[in-house]
Every structure is written in structure tokens, then in C-alpha cells.
Amino acid sequence: AQKITQTQPGMFVQEKEAVTLDCTYDTSDQSYGLFWYKQPSSGEMIFLIYQGSYDEQNATEGRYSLNFQKARKSANLVISASQLGDSAMYFCAMRVINDYKLSFGAGTTVTVRA
Amino acid sequence: DAGVIQSPRHEVTEMGQEVTLRCKPISGHDYLFWYRQTMMRGLELLIYFNNNVPIDDSGMPEDRFSAKMPNASFSTLKIQPSEPRDSAVYFCASRPPGEETQYFGPGTRLLVL
């Protein structure tokens, strides 16, 4: 079974600064995918970014980038130039190839201060 | 383009009653997932379908839970009888062919009294 660990229950960040959210994972599979989702206070789950285990480049999507370190089994999310609208819960998730379900971490709450 | 649609958005019911949650996936998506989110257990997969066929229901808590997908545009999750511990947010998500991303609906917030 896959395990996702997010060790930071909550973080504060100043507007316009960057923030890094930690995610480590445990799997014996060689082929897998890593995801980050955002859940604002309204409750919906918003897809942010995806990284495949065989992707050589770190994934980027606008202000979001994924710092993928395969040997360390970490997939940290970096949000650059934080905005007040970035205040939300952020979930790291993983799926192994040939199994389509996502396993989620416990989440990290980010609060952006003006 | 409409996203995943779930209904109702909120449901309050009494213990012992039947509850039916509904989901319309994004058109053209061939995978559909039901997740449950609670404070204690976080987000966990209940069941998923591929082309309307249930593939993995190992996350369904017990026989009180059942899910169906009669066609490509509709799925239901039924709880009968409901119990207070079923109180949670239930998400439906769908995935397009050949892509990794699962797109989530807005969720149904269920409260069983």
C-alpha cells in the first residue's frame, strides 16, 4: 500500500513570498504519479499539478512547481509569489500505474497574510 | 464546459434513513471515482468505475454502502441504513481517457443525525 506524508499541518506565509509544502511518499513501485490538489474553504478539490515518476523535468504550472526528488521520495510543492487567494488546504496524492485510485496525504493548511 | 456535477450539495437526514448521492461525470470521461472526506480519516477512495463497470470497491466501508453506474453520464452512491458515522463530504471525480488528472465535483456534505 502507498503512504503519503505531509508533516506540516499549517503554515503562514506573507503575501508575495514563496512557500514550500512538503510531501514524502512510500511505494515499492517504480512507476507512479504524484499530484497536488488545493481545497479552499468552499470545499471543492482543485487540481494543481502532476509529476510522473519517469519525468526528468520538474513539473511547473504557472506559479506552482513541483520539486521532485525521486531518490528521497519527496514531491514538494512550491508556490511562488503567494496571493491571498492561495489560502487553502493543500493535498499531496499519489497513484501507482495500473491502479487508478489516488492515495492522499493529510493535507497542509496555508494561510497567506497581507 | 460543465465540470463534474453532484447532487444534492447538502443532505441532512436521520439515522436509519436511506441516502442517495448522485454524480454526473464530465462528458467523455471513462473513469469515475467516489471519495469520502472526514476529519478522522482524511480523503479515502470508496469505489471506482471504468466504462461503467466497478473495478475496485475495496474501500466501501460495509454492506450498507452501494454504488451503481447505469450509464456513462450518471452514478449513484447509496447508504442504507445511514448512521451518524457516515457524516462526511462525499466527492465524485472523473478522469478522461489517457490522462492522469482526476477532476472533482463540488462534493455532497452529508450529516446523519
Side-chain angles (χ1 to χ4, degrees):
Chain A
Q2 299 78 43
K3 183 176 179 181
I4 308 294
T5 302
Q6 295 180 252
T7 56
Q8 307 150 309
M11 299 182 70
F12 290 94
V13 60
Q14 204 64 30
E15 195 177 11
K16 299 181 184 177
E17 292 185 351
V19 61
T20 298
L21 309 183
D22 294 341
C23 173
T24 58
Y25 57 92
D26 185 21
T27 182
S28 57
D29 290 89
Q30 296 301 309
S31 184
Y32 49 88
L34 296 154
F35 304 76
W36 279 92
Y37 282 84
K38 172 184 177 181
Q39 186 175 41
S41 58
S42 52
E44 70 268 34
M45 293 287 289
I46 303 167
F47 167 73
L48 295 179
I49 197 167
Y50 167 79
Q51 177 87 40
S53 60
Y54 290 115
D55 294 340
E56 294 186 355
Q57 301 284 338
N58 284 345
T60 60
E61 289 285 349
R63 295 186 299 110
Y64 304 107
S65 60
L66 199 153
N67 184 2
F68 180 48
Q69 298 187 43
K70 193 170 183 177
R72 302 176 86 174
K73 294 190 176 179
S74 75
N76 298 340
L77 177 71
V78 180
I79 307 173
S80 62
S82 296
Q83 302 172 356
L84 296 178
D86 294 334
S87 294
M89 177 84 87
Y90 290 82
F91 291 94
C92 180
M94 181 176 73
R95 83 162 187 92
V96 296
I97 305 304
N98 299 325
D99 184 0
Y100 293 93
K101 62 186 177 187
L102 292 179
S103 298
F104 286 86
T108 296
T109 300
V110 172
T111 303
V112 181
R113 291 169 163 160
Chain B
D1 197 17
V4 176
I5 299 171
Q6 291 187 247
S7 64
R9 295 292 308 275
H10 302 273
E11 177 82 22
V12 181
T13 190
E14 292 187 346
M15 183 174 64
Q17 296 298 306
E18 177 180 296
V19 175
T20 299
L21 311 181
R22 296 173 176 80
C23 174
K24 177 179 169 57
I26 296 171
S27 177
H29 287 198
D30 59 348
Y31 279 87
L32 184 140
F33 305 82
W34 282 101
Y35 291 89
R36 178 171 69 174
Q37 185 178 30
T38 61
M39 290 294 293
M40 290 297 295
R41 300 175 65 90
L43 272 155
E44 51 184 350
L45 178 77
L46 300 177
I47 185 171
Y48 74 91
F49 297 82
N50 176 222
N51 291 322
N52 316 337
V53 176
I55 303 299
D56 184 350
D57 65 354
S58 60
M60 295 285 262
E62 48 199 272
D63 292 345
R64 298 185 297 107
F65 285 69
S66 62
K68 294 182 179 180
M69 192 166 186
N71 57 63
S73 59
F74 185 66
S75 177
T76 60
L77 178 68
K78 186 176 292 186
I79 309 172
Q80 166 64 20
S82 58
E83 296 183 3
R85 61 193 166 121
D86 302 330
S87 297
V89 180
Y90 291 80
F91 287 102
C92 176
S94 68
R95 197 194 84 142
E99 288 190 25
E100 288 291 337
T101 304
Q102 295 181 20
Y103 296 90
F104 281 70
T108 294
R109 191 172 295 273
L110 173 66
L111 178 60
V112 183
L113 301 173

mmCIF file of all heavy atoms in Angstrom, chain A residues 80-112:
data_model
loop_
_atom_site.group_PDB
_atom_site.id
_atom_site.type_symbol
_atom_site.label_atom_id
_atom_site.label_comp_id
_atom_site.label_asym_id
_atom_site.label_seq_id
_atom_site.Cartn_x
_atom_site.Cartn_y
_atom_site.Cartn_z
ATOM 1 N N SER A 80 4.981 30.183 -5.778
ATOM 2 C CA SER A 80 5.740 31.429 -5.822
ATOM 3 C C SER A 80 4.783 32.616 -5.770
ATOM 4 O O SER A 80 3.601 32.501 -6.117
ATOM 5 C CB SER A 80 6.575 31.490 -7.098
ATOM 6 O OG SER A 80 5.724 31.477 -8.233
ATOM 7 N N ALA A 81 5.293 33.739 -5.294
ATOM 8 C CA ALA A 81 4.526 34.992 -5.259
ATOM 9 C C ALA A 81 3.119 34.771 -4.696
ATOM 10 O O ALA A 81 2.111 34.985 -5.378
ATOM 11 C CB ALA A 81 4.446 35.603 -6.654
ATOM 12 N N SER A 82 3.058 34.329 -3.449
ATOM 13 C CA SER A 82 1.775 33.965 -2.823
ATOM 14 C C SER A 82 0.761 35.096 -2.905
ATOM 15 O O SER A 82 1.096 36.287 -2.762
ATOM 16 C CB SER A 82 2.005 33.598 -1.361
ATOM 17 O OG SER A 82 2.809 32.462 -1.250
ATOM 18 N N GLN A 83 -0.478 34.701 -3.094
ATOM 19 C CA GLN A 83 -1.598 35.634 -3.141
ATOM 20 C C GLN A 83 -2.589 35.261 -2.047
ATOM 21 O O GLN A 83 -2.623 34.123 -1.589
ATOM 22 C CB GLN A 83 -2.278 35.569 -4.516
ATOM 23 C CG GLN A 83 -1.362 35.858 -5.674
ATOM 24 C CD GLN A 83 -2.008 35.596 -7.023
ATOM 25 O OE1 GLN A 83 -3.141 35.127 -7.116
ATOM 26 N NE2 GLN A 83 -1.275 35.909 -8.090
ATOM 27 N N LEU A 84 -3.419 36.232 -1.660
ATOM 28 C CA LEU A 84 -4.395 35.958 -0.607
ATOM 29 C C LEU A 84 -5.305 34.790 -0.989
ATOM 30 O O LEU A 84 -5.717 33.996 -0.135
ATOM 31 C CB LEU A 84 -5.227 37.216 -0.320
ATOM 32 C CG LEU A 84 -4.464 38.416 0.233
ATOM 33 C CD1 LEU A 84 -5.392 39.602 0.426
ATOM 34 C CD2 LEU A 84 -3.754 38.068 1.534
ATOM 35 N N GLY A 85 -5.583 34.652 -2.273
ATOM 36 C CA GLY A 85 -6.435 33.571 -2.740
ATOM 37 C C GLY A 85 -5.789 32.207 -2.665
ATOM 38 O O GLY A 85 -6.458 31.188 -2.906
ATOM 39 N N ASP A 86 -4.517 32.155 -2.318
ATOM 40 C CA ASP A 86 -3.841 30.860 -2.157
ATOM 41 C C ASP A 86 -4.125 30.242 -0.793
ATOM 42 O O ASP A 86 -3.760 29.087 -0.545
ATOM 43 C CB ASP A 86 -2.321 31.023 -2.318
ATOM 44 C CG ASP A 86 -1.918 31.430 -3.724
ATOM 45 O OD1 ASP A 86 -2.671 31.122 -4.681
ATOM 46 O OD2 ASP A 86 -0.862 32.066 -3.882
ATOM 47 N N SER A 87 -4.748 30.974 0.093
ATOM 48 C CA SER A 87 -5.094 30.434 1.412
ATOM 49 C C SER A 87 -6.061 29.269 1.225
ATOM 50 O O SER A 87 -7.162 29.444 0.685
ATOM 51 C CB SER A 87 -5.737 31.520 2.283
ATOM 52 O OG SER A 87 -4.812 32.534 2.576
ATOM 53 N N ALA A 88 -5.650 28.098 1.666
ATOM 54 C CA ALA A 88 -6.423 26.882 1.426
ATOM 55 C C ALA A 88 -5.707 25.705 2.077
ATOM 56 O O ALA A 88 -4.623 25.849 2.627
ATOM 57 C CB ALA A 88 -6.576 26.607 -0.076
ATOM 58 N N MET A 89 -6.338 24.539 1.970
ATOM 59 C CA MET A 89 -5.696 23.289 2.342
ATOM 60 C C MET A 89 -5.114 22.698 1.060
ATOM 61 O O MET A 89 -5.756 22.725 0.003
ATOM 62 C CB MET A 89 -6.727 22.332 2.951
ATOM 63 C CG MET A 89 -6.193 20.976 3.320
ATOM 64 S SD MET A 89 -5.422 20.934 4.935
ATOM 65 C CE MET A 89 -6.862 20.597 5.944
ATOM 66 N N TYR A 90 -3.912 22.144 1.170
ATOM 67 C CA TYR A 90 -3.239 21.558 0.018
ATOM 68 C C TYR A 90 -2.958 20.081 0.304
ATOM 69 O O TYR A 90 -2.398 19.740 1.350
ATOM 70 C CB TYR A 90 -1.934 22.298 -0.278
ATOM 71 C CG TYR A 90 -2.177 23.687 -0.823
ATOM 72 C CD1 TYR A 90 -2.453 24.748 0.034
ATOM 73 C CD2 TYR A 90 -2.156 23.938 -2.189
ATOM 74 C CE1 TYR A 90 -2.707 26.021 -0.459
ATOM 75 C CE2 TYR A 90 -2.397 25.209 -2.695
ATOM 76 C CZ TYR A 90 -2.674 26.246 -1.822
ATOM 77 O OH TYR A 90 -2.923 27.501 -2.311
ATOM 78 N N PHE A 91 -3.340 19.257 -0.662
ATOM 79 C CA PHE A 91 -3.174 17.817 -0.521
ATOM 80 C C PHE A 91 -2.207 17.281 -1.566
ATOM 81 O O PHE A 91 -2.313 17.596 -2.751
ATOM 82 C CB PHE A 91 -4.511 17.095 -0.694
ATOM 83 C CG PHE A 91 -5.489 17.333 0.416
ATOM 84 C CD1 PHE A 91 -6.440 18.341 0.323
ATOM 85 C CD2 PHE A 91 -5.463 16.548 1.562
ATOM 86 C CE1 PHE A 91 -7.350 18.559 1.347
ATOM 87 C CE2 PHE A 91 -6.361 16.759 2.591
ATOM 88 C CZ PHE A 91 -7.306 17.773 2.480
ATOM 89 N N CYS A 92 -1.308 16.444 -1.092
ATOM 90 C CA CYS A 92 -0.438 15.674 -1.964
ATOM 91 C C CYS A 92 -1.077 14.298 -2.154
ATOM 92 O O CYS A 92 -1.677 13.755 -1.210
ATOM 93 C CB CYS A 92 0.931 15.537 -1.302
ATOM 94 S SG CYS A 92 2.154 14.605 -2.241
ATOM 95 N N ALA A 93 -1.002 13.770 -3.355
ATOM 96 C CA ALA A 93 -1.617 12.473 -3.635
ATOM 97 C C ALA A 93 -0.743 11.680 -4.597
ATOM 98 O O ALA A 93 0.070 12.250 -5.333
ATOM 99 C CB ALA A 93 -3.015 12.658 -4.227
ATOM 100 N N MET A 94 -0.910 10.385 -4.585
ATOM 101 C CA MET A 94 -0.130 9.516 -5.443
ATOM 102 C C MET A 94 -1.003 8.398 -5.983
ATOM 103 O O MET A 94 -1.929 7.952 -5.302
ATOM 104 C CB MET A 94 1.035 8.893 -4.667
ATOM 105 C CG MET A 94 1.922 7.979 -5.496
ATOM 106 S SD MET A 94 3.339 7.371 -4.579
ATOM 107 C CE MET A 94 2.523 6.211 -3.533
ATOM 108 N N ARG A 95 -0.693 7.972 -7.189
ATOM 109 C CA ARG A 95 -1.253 6.722 -7.665
ATOM 110 C C ARG A 95 -0.137 5.941 -8.339
ATOM 111 O O ARG A 95 0.754 6.504 -8.951
ATOM 112 C CB ARG A 95 -2.416 6.943 -8.613
ATOM 113 C CG ARG A 95 -2.051 7.215 -10.058
ATOM 114 C CD ARG A 95 -3.269 6.978 -10.931
ATOM 115 N NE ARG A 95 -2.969 7.047 -12.342
ATOM 116 C CZ ARG A 95 -2.629 5.997 -13.090
ATOM 117 N NH1 ARG A 95 -2.519 4.803 -12.563
ATOM 118 N NH2 ARG A 95 -2.408 6.142 -14.372
ATOM 119 N N VAL A 96 -0.189 4.629 -8.200
ATOM 120 C CA VAL A 96 0.753 3.782 -8.908
ATOM 121 C C VAL A 96 0.118 3.375 -10.225
ATOM 122 O O VAL A 96 -1.118 3.275 -10.323
ATOM 123 C CB VAL A 96 1.162 2.550 -8.084
ATOM 124 C CG1 VAL A 96 1.896 2.993 -6.834
ATOM 125 C CG2 VAL A 96 -0.026 1.685 -7.745
ATOM 126 N N ILE A 97 0.933 3.175 -11.202
ATOM 127 C CA ILE A 97 0.428 2.794 -12.511
ATOM 128 C C ILE A 97 -0.237 1.431 -12.383
ATOM 129 O O ILE A 97 0.196 0.586 -11.607
ATOM 130 C CB ILE A 97 1.570 2.775 -13.536
ATOM 131 C CG1 ILE A 97 2.274 4.134 -13.521
ATOM 132 C CG2 ILE A 97 1.045 2.474 -14.925
ATOM 133 C CD1 ILE A 97 1.400 5.327 -13.780
ATOM 134 N N ASN A 98 -1.287 1.245 -13.121
ATOM 135 C CA ASN A 98 -2.122 0.032 -13.095
ATOM 136 C C ASN A 98 -3.068 0.006 -11.905
ATOM 137 O O ASN A 98 -3.750 -0.983 -11.690
ATOM 138 C CB ASN A 98 -1.293 -1.262 -13.108
ATOM 139 C CG ASN A 98 -0.455 -1.370 -14.356
ATOM 140 O OD1 ASN A 98 -0.878 -0.944 -15.427
ATOM 141 N ND2 ASN A 98 0.723 -1.919 -14.230
ATOM 142 N N ASP A 99 -3.087 1.063 -11.136
ATOM 143 C CA ASP A 99 -4.079 1.206 -10.082
ATOM 144 C C ASP A 99 -4.518 2.659 -10.110
ATOM 145 O O ASP A 99 -3.728 3.547 -9.822
ATOM 146 C CB ASP A 99 -3.485 0.848 -8.720
ATOM 147 C CG ASP A 99 -4.529 0.894 -7.616
ATOM 148 O OD1 ASP A 99 -5.696 1.198 -7.919
ATOM 149 O OD2 ASP A 99 -4.169 0.619 -6.459
ATOM 150 N N TYR A 100 -5.767 2.905 -10.433
ATOM 151 C CA TYR A 100 -6.179 4.261 -10.742
ATOM 152 C C TYR A 100 -6.616 5.080 -9.546
ATOM 153 O O TYR A 100 -6.894 6.252 -9.676
ATOM 154 C CB TYR A 100 -7.286 4.227 -11.800
ATOM 155 C CG TYR A 100 -6.736 3.732 -13.117
ATOM 156 C CD1 TYR A 100 -6.782 2.392 -13.464
ATOM 157 C CD2 TYR A 100 -6.124 4.610 -14.003
ATOM 158 C CE1 TYR A 100 -6.238 1.942 -14.651
ATOM 159 C CE2 TYR A 100 -5.588 4.171 -15.196
ATOM 160 C CZ TYR A 100 -5.646 2.835 -15.510
ATOM 161 O OH TYR A 100 -5.114 2.394 -16.691
ATOM 162 N N LYS A 101 -6.649 4.482 -8.366
ATOM 163 C CA LYS A 101 -7.093 5.261 -7.222
ATOM 164 C C LYS A 101 -5.974 6.138 -6.693
ATOM 165 O O LYS A 101 -4.797 5.800 -6.786
ATOM 166 C CB LYS A 101 -7.594 4.341 -6.111
ATOM 167 C CG LYS A 101 -6.556 3.400 -5.540
ATOM 168 C CD LYS A 101 -7.218 2.439 -4.562
ATOM 169 C CE LYS A 101 -6.223 1.427 -4.024
ATOM 170 N NZ LYS A 101 -6.883 0.395 -3.206
ATOM 171 N N LEU A 102 -6.358 7.284 -6.147
ATOM 172 C CA LEU A 102 -5.417 8.197 -5.532
ATOM 173 C C LEU A 102 -5.366 7.960 -4.032
ATOM 174 O O LEU A 102 -6.397 7.787 -3.389
ATOM 175 C CB LEU A 102 -5.835 9.645 -5.784
ATOM 176 C CG LEU A 102 -5.753 10.166 -7.220
ATOM 177 C CD1 LEU A 102 -6.235 11.606 -7.284
ATOM 178 C CD2 LEU A 102 -4.356 10.052 -7.759
ATOM 179 N N SER A 103 -4.145 7.971 -3.494
ATOM 180 C CA SER A 103 -3.945 7.950 -2.049
ATOM 181 C C SER A 103 -3.502 9.343 -1.644
ATOM 182 O O SER A 103 -2.538 9.881 -2.205
ATOM 183 C CB SER A 103 -2.873 6.927 -1.665
ATOM 184 O OG SER A 103 -3.273 5.634 -2.033
ATOM 185 N N PHE A 104 -4.194 9.918 -0.663
ATOM 186 C CA PHE A 104 -3.959 11.297 -0.264
ATOM 187 C C PHE A 104 -3.207 11.398 1.055
ATOM 188 O O PHE A 104 -3.360 10.569 1.946
ATOM 189 C CB PHE A 104 -5.294 12.040 -0.104
ATOM 190 C CG PHE A 104 -5.960 12.379 -1.401
ATOM 191 C CD1 PHE A 104 -6.781 11.468 -2.031
ATOM 192 C CD2 PHE A 104 -5.769 13.615 -1.991
ATOM 193 C CE1 PHE A 104 -7.401 11.779 -3.242
ATOM 194 C CE2 PHE A 104 -6.384 13.949 -3.186
ATOM 195 C CZ PHE A 104 -7.203 13.024 -3.813
ATOM 196 N N GLY A 105 -2.425 12.481 1.185
ATOM 197 C CA GLY A 105 -1.861 12.827 2.469
ATOM 198 C C GLY A 105 -2.889 13.541 3.326
ATOM 199 O O GLY A 105 -4.024 13.777 2.884
ATOM 200 N N ALA A 106 -2.486 13.899 4.525
ATOM 201 C CA ALA A 106 -3.408 14.525 5.479
ATOM 202 C C ALA A 106 -3.673 15.989 5.176
ATOM 203 O O ALA A 106 -4.639 16.562 5.691
ATOM 204 C CB ALA A 106 -2.858 14.383 6.894
ATOM 205 N N GLY A 107 -2.824 16.584 4.357
ATOM 206 C CA GLY A 107 -3.041 17.968 3.956
ATOM 207 C C GLY A 107 -2.255 18.965 4.784
ATOM 208 O O GLY A 107 -1.868 18.695 5.936
ATOM 209 N N THR A 108 -2.000 20.124 4.190
ATOM 210 C CA THR A 108 -1.349 21.260 4.855
ATOM 211 C C THR A 108 -2.198 22.497 4.631
ATOM 212 O O THR A 108 -2.553 22.804 3.488
ATOM 213 C CB THR A 108 0.058 21.512 4.277
ATOM 214 O OG1 THR A 108 0.895 20.396 4.552
ATOM 215 C CG2 THR A 108 0.673 22.767 4.878
ATOM 216 N N THR A 109 -2.520 23.183 5.703
ATOM 217 C CA THR A 109 -3.284 24.420 5.594
ATOM 218 C C THR A 109 -2.329 25.590 5.417
ATOM 219 O O THR A 109 -1.401 25.769 6.215
ATOM 220 C CB THR A 109 -4.138 24.649 6.845
ATOM 221 O OG1 THR A 109 -5.038 23.552 7.004
ATOM 222 C CG2 THR A 109 -4.948 25.934 6.714
ATOM 223 N N VAL A 110 -2.529 26.347 4.374
ATOM 224 C CA VAL A 110 -1.718 27.536 4.114
ATOM 225 C C VAL A 110 -2.570 28.776 4.333
ATOM 226 O O VAL A 110 -3.691 28.868 3.803
ATOM 227 C CB VAL A 110 -1.170 27.526 2.681
ATOM 228 C CG1 VAL A 110 -0.489 28.844 2.353
ATOM 229 C CG2 VAL A 110 -0.207 26.361 2.491
ATOM 230 N N THR A 111 -2.047 29.701 5.110
ATOM 231 C CA THR A 111 -2.707 30.988 5.315
ATOM 232 C C THR A 111 -1.771 32.082 4.819
ATOM 233 O O THR A 111 -0.628 32.181 5.303
ATOM 234 C CB THR A 111 -3.046 31.216 6.792
ATOM 235 O OG1 THR A 111 -3.855 30.139 7.251
ATOM 236 C CG2 THR A 111 -3.793 32.528 6.968
ATOM 237 N N VAL A 112 -2.246 32.859 3.867
ATOM 238 C CA VAL A 112 -1.446 33.950 3.314
ATOM 239 C C VAL A 112 -1.842 35.251 4.004
ATOM 240 O O VAL A 112 -3.021 35.605 4.037
ATOM 241 C CB VAL A 112 -1.654 34.061 1.792
ATOM 242 C CG1 VAL A 112 -0.806 35.191 1.211
ATOM 243 C CG2 VAL A 112 -1.307 32.746 1.103
#
